[in-house]
Every structure is written in structure tokens, then in C-alpha cells.
Amino acid sequence: RFNRASLINVGFLESGNDTDYIAMHDVDLLPLNEQLDYSFPEAGPFHVASPELHPLYHYKTYVGGILLLTKQHYEKCNGMSNRFWGWGREDDEFYRRIKGAGLQVRRPSGITTGYETFQHLHDPAWRKRDQKRIAAQKQEQFKVDWEGGLNNVRYRIESRTALSVAGAPCTVLNILLDCDTNETPWCMFG
């Protein structure tokens, strides 16, 4: 099953010292407003896809979609929990980690396009296995995982491909995440 949080942890670890901040960016959320700011989030985590702009999620603790953090801020949170297999709730748990680390989330101002700021291409019917809650997953998804994150993500790089996107170098990693069925039986489907 899909594990967005663990994949972001892997991306962070594999980025090395060549980067000074990360953009946690959902692939199904396309920005439509050129005024959106993706610059270095010096003052703290910057939530580009804030609840006032996201076409679907409007609650005040929402930090999913697009979130920018310095590498130091991400390390201070110990990254994201590796317990979230399938779609959803990993960013809600990450909000509590951000607050627990004493960080303040900032959001855009002056954007007048409201809910038309992004196009959301999410289709729940596409990958049903990632929508389903299995075993104790529903109860576990509301707990904060203070133990896991960057410190215990387990993975293997299957392949590494270098390419160029609009002239900028890019590396695509094919990652195999470790699924511990004793710890998270919901990491397998069926």
C-alpha cells in the first residue's frame, strides 16, 4: 500500500546536504495561481495549500497538500510517522508534531482566488486498496506517534534515475518500503 509519510521521510534522507528546505507536495494538487510563494520558509513551516485556498479541506489544523519546511524544522519534528499506510491522516498527525516541536505554521496572505487557487485531481475510486481502513488502523490513525519518523523509516532503493525537468536536475527514486505486519498489519492489503 501507499505510504506518503514514509516516502517523504525517504526523500528527505536521500536529498543529502544539497538542499536547505523541502516541499511536501501532493501530486494530485496543481497550483493555478502564479502568486503562490514557494520560497525558503525562513520564519517557519509555510502551508502553501492553506484551508482558505484548498478546494476540499477547510479545517484550521490542515497542513496537507503543499507544505514547505526547512530541513532543521523537519528534523525537529523527527519527520513524519511511518504508521500511515493508505490515503489520509498522516498530515493531521504531522500538524501535532509541528506544534509539539514548538513551531508555528504560516500561511499565504493576499491570494484572492480562494478555492479556485488549485485544481485537485484526486479520485478515490482509482486505488481502492489505499482508501480502505484495515484492522486497528482507524483507531491508530488518531494517535500521535512520538516514537517513529526519520529515525526508523526502513526502505531500499530499487533504482535511481537522473533526469532534467525544465533544465533543472532531478533524481527519481524507486523505493521499496519495509512493511512490518506486526507493527502495522494494515500495510498489506487483503
Side-chain angles (χ1 to χ4, degrees), residues 128-167:
K128 290 185 187 280
R129 71 176 185 209
D130 289 321
Q131 299 295 325
K132 188 174 170 91
R133 301 289 180 243
I134 301 167
Q137 184 178 9
K138 187 169 184 169
Q139 294 78 21
E140 290 292 319
Q141 71 189 12
F142 292 102
K143 296 178 183 176
V144 179
D145 173 17
W146 295 115
E147 305 298 317
L150 284 173
N151 63 318
N152 69 350
V153 63
R154 295 187 316 233
Y155 66 98
R156 183 173 72 240
I157 298 175
E158 295 282 297
S159 66
R160 187 183 302 259
T161 305
L163 52 98
S164 177
V165 176

Side-chain angles (χ1 to χ4, degrees), residues 2-19:
F2 180 73
N3 187 323
R4 176 181 177 264
S6 290
L7 291 172
I8 292 171
N9 286 338
V10 170
F12 176 90
L13 292 170
E14 293 296 322
S15 69
N17 294 325
D18 294 340
T19 58

Side-chain angles (χ1 to χ4, degrees), residues 104-135:
Q104 182 67 40
V105 176
R106 295 177 317 103
R107 295 195 160 116
S109 61
I111 303 294
T112 60
T113 46
Y115 298 147
E116 304 296 318
T117 304
F118 300 96
Q119 182 179 6
H120 193 230
L121 302 171
H122 186 75
D123 182 359
W126 184 59
R127 289 182 54 138
K128 290 185 187 280
R129 71 176 185 209
D130 289 321
Q131 299 295 325
K132 188 174 170 91
R133 301 289 180 243
I134 301 167

Side-chain angles (χ1 to χ4, degrees), residues 26 28-33 36 47-59 62 64-66 113-122:
D26 286 1
D28 61 359
L29 190 64
L30 304 176
L32 301 175
N33 186 321
L36 291 169
H47 188 212
V48 178
S50 67
E52 307 83 44
L53 304 175
H54 196 285
L56 189 59
Y57 304 115
H58 306 137
Y59 54 97
Y62 177 67
I66 308 165
T113 46
Y115 298 147
E116 304 296 318
T117 304
F118 300 96
Q119 182 179 6
H120 193 230
L121 302 171
H122 186 75

